[in-house]
Amino acid sequence: FTKKYSFISLCLKPEMWQKVAKFKGAEYFRKALYTRCVADFDKVDLHRLEEGPPLTATLTREEGLKYYRTMQTIRRMELKADQLYKQKIIRGFCHLYDGQEACAVGIEGGITLSDHLITAYRAHGYTLTRGGTVREIMAELTGRRGGIAKGKGGSMHMYTKNFYGGNGIVGAQVPLGAGVALACKYLGNDQLCVSLYGDGAANQGQIFETYNMSSLWKLPIIFICENNQYAMGTSVERSAASTEYYKRGDYIPGIRVDGMDVLCVREATKFAAAHCRSGKGPILMELQTYRYHGHSMSDPGVSYRTREEIQEVRSKSDPISMLKDRMLSNNMASIEELKEIDIAVRKEIEDAAQFATTDPEPPLDDLCSHIFANDQPFEVRGATPWTKLTSTS
């Protein structure tokens, strides 16, 4: 049916479709016709590669709706975190991910949940895509018992199966990711590790040491630099002699793609994953992206860039708007359908925020628990020699 009548989708304009949709059974008819579209990318920059990922990608209706909902959930979750932080309900360090949603969602679209991922402290989005729930993430941000790390990790230290955080030390997660990749190779399980860092961490010496080790041992690792242009508050042009981060691996192949386009990120990740699984060793990706908030909640984000620049990126390159426009222009979804998703997401966020502000804080007795994953309970000295706490797994 779809193949036979697919030409109709090229003939029907959106306004014509509104008329067709009034007929009985039009919803089924629309789903059958508009199940997929093909997207084109402007370019992919390559380093030490003769061929790179394709410049076109196919998006199914199911994938599009899934990506849209996940990116909207991350966006709304981060905006709610901003609100709770300003109300002093969330305290301490808090680095928000709004603007970079296409990176997390696109990467997950190119690997599987059995693969491994480790990132820096801007980790809320990856905690969600790796299997965490909004309730667990919000409760962790407020330090509650129902948080994904039992309220003891906070914004920068969240974990799920095959997701190793959330790491607070700049660049330190990259060599840890190489260790995970070494385990994958040692076990021969055809899995890989994605090790993420930002443009600010890209000048760290430990990253270059990890490049060298990973290349020598041909580890199945994808190094990904999420280049959001400003590190902690200094533009890449002022902080790096070379801003072509995808070439930083020298002897390691590299790819640079548009990190604001979820399909572009997905196709690049699929290509990189196939490279690693074939035994060729590591590969480096640079995702050119942009954060709307400051580096952290203590950074207003407008002392080193203008509000006009932020607004221009929002209006021209917003990852959620780009996907939404692509789906609407190809008649893969209606405006009403996407609004229903928006409403459902907002409700989910509000319910999670309510839980995160009413769930009890962890008791002092839990302070030393979970030091080891599998061990008998043992005694731990407290802040003073006469204070004793018990650690349970």
Side-chain angles (χ1 to χ4, degrees):
F1 180 86
T2 307
K3 184 176 181 181
K4 184 176 180 181
Y5 294 102
S6 60
F7 71 93
I8 299 177
S9 65
L10 301 176
C11 302
L12 279 179
K13 296 180 179 180
E15 58 269 21
M16 291 294 293
W17 176 250
Q18 300 303 320
K19 297 179 180 179
V20 175
K22 294 180 181 179
F23 289 98
K24 185 177 180 180
E27 179 67 13
Y28 173 81
F29 183 67
R30 181 180 64 77
K31 287 182 180 179
L33 278 177
Y34 304 104
T35 55
R36 63 184 61 238
C37 73
V38 176
D40 297 313
F41 313 126
D42 291 336
K43 68 171 185 174
V44 175
D45 296 313
L46 305 177
H47 171 65
R48 287 188 178 272
L49 287 167
E50 293 183 4
E51 292 184 4
L55 294 177
T56 61
T58 300
L59 175 71
T60 68
R61 168 181 157 78
E62 182 181 1
E63 289 170 342
L65 293 175
K66 177 184 175 183
Y67 297 162
Y68 180 80
R69 185 184 186 102
T70 305
M71 288 200 289
Q72 275 287 29
T73 301
I74 295 172
R75 176 71 56 88
R76 293 293 166 185
M77 182 173 67
E78 297 296 63
L79 294 179
K80 176 56 71 172
D82 171 272
Q83 180 184 343
L84 294 177
Y85 196 95
K86 289 172 179 174
Q87 293 172 359
K88 298 186 177 180
I89 296 173
I90 295 173
R91 297 297 190 106
F93 292 108
C94 186
H95 307 81
L96 302 182
Y97 200 65
D98 50 318
Q100 299 183 213
E101 297 88 352
C103 296
V105 176
I107 289 169
E108 292 291 358
I111 58 176
T112 70
L113 286 175
S114 63
D115 290 317
H116 308 263
L117 191 145
I118 188 167
T119 189
Y121 35 75
R122 205 177 301 279
H124 308 162
Y126 289 103
T127 308
L128 183 73
T129 61
R130 288 268 97 187
T133 67
V134 177
R135 278 168 65 101
E136 290 173 325
I137 295 168
M138 295 301 294
E140 191 59 42
L141 287 171
T142 57
R144 305 304 170 111
R145 199 168 188 173
I148 201 160
K150 311 300 181 186
K152 296 190 287 185
S155 171
M156 300 194 293
H157 305 101
M158 301 185 185
Y159 312 91
T160 64
K161 183 176 175 58
N162 296 335
F163 174 56
Y164 306 88
N167 290 267
I169 305 301
V170 175
Q173 71 279 3
V174 179
L176 295 180
V180 175
L182 176 61
C184 292
K185 182 169 183 176
Y186 183 82
L187 295 171
N189 54 20
D190 200 36
Q191 295 172 3
L192 57 85
C193 182
V194 174
S195 191
L196 294 124
Y197 56 96
D199 51 288
N203 296 323
Q204 285 269 321
Q206 59 187 322
I207 292 180
F208 291 91
E209 293 177 46
T210 307
Y211 288 164
N212 183 62
M213 190 179 298
S214 300
S215 186
L216 282 172
W217 294 347
K218 293 195 178 300
L219 300 183
I221 183 169
I222 306 174
F223 297 107
I224 299 184
C225 176
E226 290 181 287
N227 179 6
N228 61 24
Q229 318 295 329
Y230 287 102
M232 285 185 67
T234 306
S235 67
V236 293
E237 290 80 13
R238 293 180 59 215
S239 62
S242 169
T243 58
E244 294 180 313
Y245 295 101
Y246 71 109
K247 294 182 179 180
R248 289 283 191 96
D250 188 10
Y251 35 79
I252 296 175
I255 312 169
R256 181 170 62 186
V257 298
D258 181 4
M260 304 297 273
D261 188 331
V262 66
L263 295 186
C264 194
V265 176
R266 186 191 70 181
E267 295 307 306
T269 306
K270 284 182 178 179
F271 175 86
H275 175 94
C276 288
R277 294 193 214 280
S278 67
K280 295 178 181 177
I283 190 168
L284 201 159
M285 285 172 54
E286 177 187 345
L287 307 181
Q288 293 184 307
T289 184
Y290 198 86
R291 55 171 168 77
Y292 294 153
H293 268 84
H295 170 69
S296 69
M297 285 301 297
S298 62
D299 169 23
V302 291
S303 61
Y304 47 84
R305 58 182 182 176
T306 64
R307 296 183 188 276
E308 290 74 22
E309 178 186 305
I310 301 170
Q311 188 54 44
E312 183 179 9
V313 175
R314 280 182 180 273
S315 61
K316 293 181 179 179
S317 304
D318 183 77
I320 298 175
S321 297
M322 286 171 65
L323 178 62
K324 179 180 180 179
D325 293 345
R326 184 174 279 155
M327 294 187 70
L328 291 175
S329 63
N330 285 279
N331 296 316
M332 297 177 72
S334 65
I335 294 176
E336 291 73 21
E337 190 174 16
L338 296 181
K339 282 183 178 178
E340 287 177 7
I341 293 176
D342 295 345
I343 292 170
V345 166
R346 285 194 181 95
K347 184 178 185 308
E348 182 183 11
I349 301 301
E350 289 302 324
D351 290 346
Q354 178 67 21
F355 173 74
T357 53
T358 56
D359 191 51
E361 295 180 354
L364 180 62
D365 291 344
D366 281 0
L367 180 64
C368 295
S369 294
H370 313 115
I371 294 176
F372 296 105
N374 248 327
D375 210 341
Q376 294 295 317
F378 62 94
E379 198 174 74
V380 178
R381 199 193 95 160
T384 60
W386 53 87
T387 305
K388 304 295 182 182
L389 296 169
T390 301
S391 177
T392 57
S393 297

